[in-house]
């Protein structure tokens, strides 16, 4: 199987996504079980940026979505950048740009979704 074939890229993305999701989910779940809710940085960012009510947030449910977002960001940037045939330094620079762009865009969308959801409830 060639390294740049679509099947390999899809398989690499899927495996990387699942590994990162499980790791991220388990770490955040341990934080919620031990009541260290202030250490989940993504939720703190969303709460402060969108002025959400902490009491209305269902942390165990939101951890799944945050883990999915983080896994998608990391695995998609990693797979995309490694498939490019350019110098390593350019891969790193492009990776950082894509990483920050996806983080901002996806958490902005998710924060607006949470804002609408908490206003409905």
């Amino acid at each position: 199987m060639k390294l740049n074939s679509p099947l390999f890229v899809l398989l690499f993305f899927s495996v990387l996504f699942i590994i990162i999701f499980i790791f991220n989910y388990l770490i955040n779940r341990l934080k919620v079980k031990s009541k260290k809710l202030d250490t989940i940085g993504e939720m703190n960012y969303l709460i402060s940026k969108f002025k959400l009510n902490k009491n209305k947030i269902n942390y165990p449910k939101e951890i799944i979505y945050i883990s999915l977002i983080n896994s998608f960001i990391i695995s998609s940037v990693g797979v995309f950048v490694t498939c490019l045939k350019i110098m390593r330094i350019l891969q790193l620079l492009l990776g950082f740009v894509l990483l920050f762009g996806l983080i901002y865009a996806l958490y902005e969308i998710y924060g607006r979704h949470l804002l609408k959801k908490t206003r409905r409830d």
Side-chain angles (χ1 to χ4, degrees):
M1 185 182 313
K2 291 184 178 180
L3 293 180
N4 280 341
S5 70
L7 183 62
F8 179 77
V9 170
L10 186 62
L11 182 66
F12 182 50
F13 175 79
S14 302
V15 169
L16 193 60
F17 181 84
I18 290 169
I19 290 170
I20 293 170
F21 174 77
I22 291 171
F23 183 72
N24 195 338
Y25 177 73
L26 290 176
I27 287 175
N28 284 336
R29 187 170 173 185
L30 287 174
K31 289 178 184 178
V32 168
K33 278 192 173 185
S34 65
K35 302 291 184 198
K36 294 182 181 177
L37 300 177
D38 294 338
T39 59
I40 301 173
E42 295 90 345
M43 284 306 299
N44 291 336
Y45 168 73
L46 292 173
I47 288 169
S48 66
K49 179 166 182 173
F50 293 99
K51 296 176 181 48
L52 299 171
N53 187 355
K54 279 187 175 183
N55 299 328
K56 290 186 176 182
I57 294 175
N58 183 3
Y59 279 92
K61 184 178 175 184
E62 302 307 326
I63 285 175
I64 294 172
Y65 297 124
I66 286 176
S67 297
L68 285 171
I69 291 171
N70 287 341
S71 303
F72 178 77
I73 291 170
I74 295 169
S75 57
S76 61
V77 169
V79 170
F80 177 74
V81 171
T82 55
C83 289
L84 296 176
K85 300 229 185 241
I86 55 177
M87 295 185 321
R88 296 278 184 224
I89 191 74
L90 292 176
Q91 283 181 340
L92 284 172
L93 290 174
L94 183 62
F96 280 121
V97 169
L98 286 174
L99 188 70
F100 289 121
L102 278 175
I103 288 172
Y104 178 76
L106 293 178
Y107 277 109
E108 184 74 24
I109 292 168
Y110 186 60
R112 290 181 185 184
H113 169 74
L114 276 178
L115 190 61
K116 287 180 185 177
K117 190 168 109 175
T118 54
R119 285 187 181 163
R120 265 187 284 151
D121 296 342

